[in-house]
Amino acid sequence: MKLDKKIVRLACAAGCMAGMLAMQPAHGAGDHLLAHIKADGVLRIANTQSSPPWTFLNEANQPVGYDIDMAKEVARRMGIPKVEFVADSFKNFVEGLKADKYDLVMNDLTPTPEREKQVDFSTPYGVEDFRIFVSKSNTSIHSQADLAGKRVGVTSGSSNETWSRAHLKQSHIMTYHNGGLVFADLGNGRIDAVIISHFGGLKYANANHLPIKEVGEPLTYQLSAAAMIKGEPSLKASVDKAIAGMMADGTIEKIGKKWVGPQYDMAGSIRRAEQEAQAGAN
């Protein structure tokens, strides 16, 4: 039997459309994601699980750290009973959100202008300063000016890498997928210095008994916030509300002292960093 060509074309078009819809993420954009999350009862949150004190694995191979406790408390205040942590690397976070691999990223992620073009961010819930780390035997590197011509290690896809490429034009930037590898190469002399947060560097040094030291003044201060796919204002508002409540009732300060240090003023540092950022913008 001969089929009408128009009918065949329509049938093909319908089939193609069905296929395209089937390939779309289960939680698409359009301000529906929060409803999906609450219906599922699970909030999927990505982190590297290799960047202490923010996220890392404990002796029982379970994710712990500042961002882990923050994530659990954010979920609780949002009324979501379960958090599922998804391990990924900094370089994959933005694409992972777009591909619906997870709902949020909470791993010391800085809201840079480039990232903000692709994903949305919550209000800040953390802050840190970035420093230069070298071997204890190093006597030639004391500040940023001494990094010219040196091999500098950074975590790939991180704000450390972005800052280093923008400000260390005369250095040889070498990227690593996690902090453990970059410090291993610092120890064996494959690189001369590492740019990492004050907290992260000291945590690696203390946990692994590494012969490294911090030199110079802070290079830059960076806020961290939860990242999410664009076009989900209800999700953003819910996360922002949870963070605001934690700032107001002292929870952020408590979690900061637990993981970053008893003397560290996390809430106060966040406010000061925000004021500095605002002053810079003006």
Side-chain angles (χ1 to χ4, degrees), residues 33-151:
L33 183 51
L34 181 59
H36 279 295
I37 292 168
K38 290 194 170 183
D40 292 341
V42 179
L43 183 62
R44 303 168 303 161
I45 299 182
N47 34 61
T48 65
Q49 300 176 16
S50 64
S51 51
W54 314 110
T55 70
F56 59 103
L57 298 177
N58 63 11
E59 296 81 1
N61 210 39
Q62 295 299 311
V64 294
Y66 178 81
D67 286 280
I68 300 297
D69 280 8
M70 286 293 301
K72 290 177 179 177
E73 183 63 16
V74 164
R76 188 188 72 78
R77 294 183 185 225
M78 291 172 65
I80 301 163
K82 182 180 178 182
V83 177
E84 178 182 304
F85 292 109
V86 182
D88 212 337
S89 61
F90 273 102
K91 67 176 184 175
N92 293 334
F93 282 156
V94 169
E95 293 306 318
L97 284 168
K98 292 179 179 179
D100 191 44
K101 289 177 64 178
Y102 24 80
D103 308 308
L104 297 176
V105 173
M106 293 184 69
N107 194 121
D108 188 34
L109 193 65
T110 304
T112 63
E114 184 59 35
R115 288 172 181 157
E116 288 177 324
K117 293 176 184 176
Q118 304 180 71
V119 296
D120 285 334
F121 283 92
S122 69
T123 55
Y125 67 83
V127 66
E128 60 178 319
D129 56 330
F130 284 79
R131 302 289 191 102
I132 303 168
F133 282 83
V134 298
S135 170
K136 278 191 175 179
S137 62
N138 186 292
T139 58
S140 63
I141 298 176
H142 306 283
S143 67
Q144 179 179 337
D146 298 323
L147 295 176
K150 303 297 185 181
R151 298 162 299 175

Side-chain angles (χ1 to χ4, degrees), residues 154-218:
V154 295
T155 307
S156 60
S158 68
S159 51
N160 331 0
E161 179 186 5
T162 302
W163 185 91
S164 297
R165 293 195 183 282
H167 296 88
L168 303 178
K169 299 289 189 181
Q170 296 181 333
S171 301
H172 305 293
I173 307 301
M174 303 178 69
T175 58
Y176 295 79
H177 291 310
N178 67 61
L181 293 176
V182 71
F183 276 109
D185 272 9
L186 180 62
N188 61 36
R190 289 196 179 99
I191 56 178
D192 303 300
V194 172
I195 303 299
I196 195 170
S197 75
H198 165 76
F199 312 119
L202 291 184
K203 194 76 173 185
Y204 277 115
N206 294 334
N208 299 291
H209 307 290
L210 300 174
I212 62 174
K213 62 184 178 181
E214 187 178 72
V215 296
E217 296 298 316

